[in-house]
Amino acid sequence: MLRFLGFRLLRAAVTIVLVVSFAFLVLRLSGDPAQIIMGADAPPEAVAAFRQAWGLEEPLYVQYLRYFGAILRGDLGRSMRDGREAITLVAERIPATLALTVPALLIKLCIGIPAGITAALHRSLIDRAVMVLAVAGFTVPSFVLGLLLVLVFAVQLGWLPSGGQDSWRHAILPIVTMGVGGAAVLARFTRSAMLEVLGQPYIRTASAKGVPWRAVVWGHALPNAAIPTVTIIGFMVGSLIAGAVVVESVFSWPGVGRLLVVAVANRDLAVVQCILLLVAATMVTANLVVDLLYGALDPRLRNAVRGPEMSEAALPVTLAPPAAPRGCRRWWSSPGSGCC
C-alpha cells in the first residue's frame, strides 16, 4: 500500500511541475505584459522601467528559475495591476466560486446517479426518456443553456435576476446551468457502468442461486459499477475551483473563473499562474483520492503497481518443446506442423 501511495504521489508532483512549467512558458510567449498593462501610448522609457521592475528583461530561463524558487518558498508573486499578492486576490474569489460549484455538484450527484441507475434497471420507456434528456443536457454548451435560462426566467418571466451577486436568488440560474450538464454526464456514465456489470456472469449466478434482486443490485452491481463512476465524480470535484469560468462570465459572477478571464486579458502573469497552480493542485489531489478509492474498491488495481515483482508461484508454467529429431530444421515451427 505504501508503494502504491508513493507512486501516486510521485506522479502528482510531476504533473504539477509540468503544469506550472507549461503555464509559465505559454504566458511568456503570448505577449508582452508590459506593453499591454502600460498601454500603447506609454513612452518607451516607462515600458522599459516596468520591465526592469518586474524582471521581464532577464532571459527566460532566469525568470523560470526565479519563479520556481519562489513557489518552493511559498511566494506566488504579486499582481502587476495593483501590486497585491496574487494568492490574496485568488483567495478572495474562492468563496464566491464554491457558492456555485458545491451546490451544483450536489445537484449532479442527486440527479445523475439515480437517473443512471434507474435507466439501467428499467430498459423501457424510462431508459429512453432518461437517455434523451441526458444527451440533450450533455450536448448543449453551458453558455448556451445559461443564456436560454436568462432569456426565459429573467427576461420573459422576470422571476430571477440575470446576473450579479446581491442575494441568493442571483445564484439559482448559474447553479442550475452547471448542475444540468454535469448530471447528464454522470447519468450516462452510471448507466453504462451498470449495464456492463449487470451483464457479468456473477450477476446471473447470484440471481440463479435465488438471491433477491435488490440484494444483487445493492450488494454486487453497484459496488462494481462504482469504479468508473468515481472517475467522473473525481473530475467534478477537481473542477470545483475553475469549473465555472464560462458560467461566471455569462452571469457576471465575481468568482475565480471571472478573475482568470480578466487576468488573462490583462496579462497579469502572477494571478494567472496562481490560479493555474491552484487548479492543478486541486485536480491532482482529486485524482489522488480517486486512485486511493480505486485501491479500496478493487485490490487488483492496488497490486498492479508491483509490475514484474511476482512470486514464482504466480508465474505461469511453460513447457519446453521437445527436442528436434536429427536433421530437422523446422521442428515445432507451428502447431501440428511436425517435422520437415
Side-chain angles (χ1 to χ4, degrees), residues 180-193:
V180 169
V185 174
L186 198 55
R188 292 186 62 193
F189 274 89
T190 304
R191 175 184 177 273
S192 300

Side-chain angles (χ1 to χ4, degrees), residues 187-302:
R188 292 186 62 193
F189 274 89
T190 304
R191 175 184 177 273
S192 300
M194 282 293 296
L195 289 178
E196 182 178 358
V197 171
L198 291 175
Q200 297 298 320
Y202 58 84
I203 298 294
R204 295 192 296 267
T205 302
S207 301
K209 289 183 176 180
V211 180
W213 181 244
R214 184 181 298 271
V216 172
V217 173
W218 287 95
H220 299 280
L222 287 180
N224 288 280
I227 294 180
T229 306
V230 165
T231 305
I232 304 300
I233 297 177
F235 177 79
M236 292 178 178
V237 172
S239 60
L240 287 178
I241 299 299
V245 175
V246 177
V247 175
E248 288 180 0
S249 300
V250 171
F251 292 96
S252 302
W253 188 266
V256 177
R258 188 168 182 181
L259 177 63
L260 177 61
V261 173
V262 175
V264 170
N266 295 331
R267 295 299 190 274
D268 201 344
L269 302 182
V271 177
V272 177
Q273 291 169 167
C274 181
I275 295 176
L276 294 180
L277 180 60
L278 178 62
V279 171
T282 306
M283 189 66 70
V284 166
T285 302
N287 289 334
L288 179 61
V289 174
V290 168
D291 288 339
L292 296 178
L293 290 177
Y294 281 171
L297 294 173
D298 193 346
R300 296 173 299 178
L301 300 176
R302 183 173 64 247

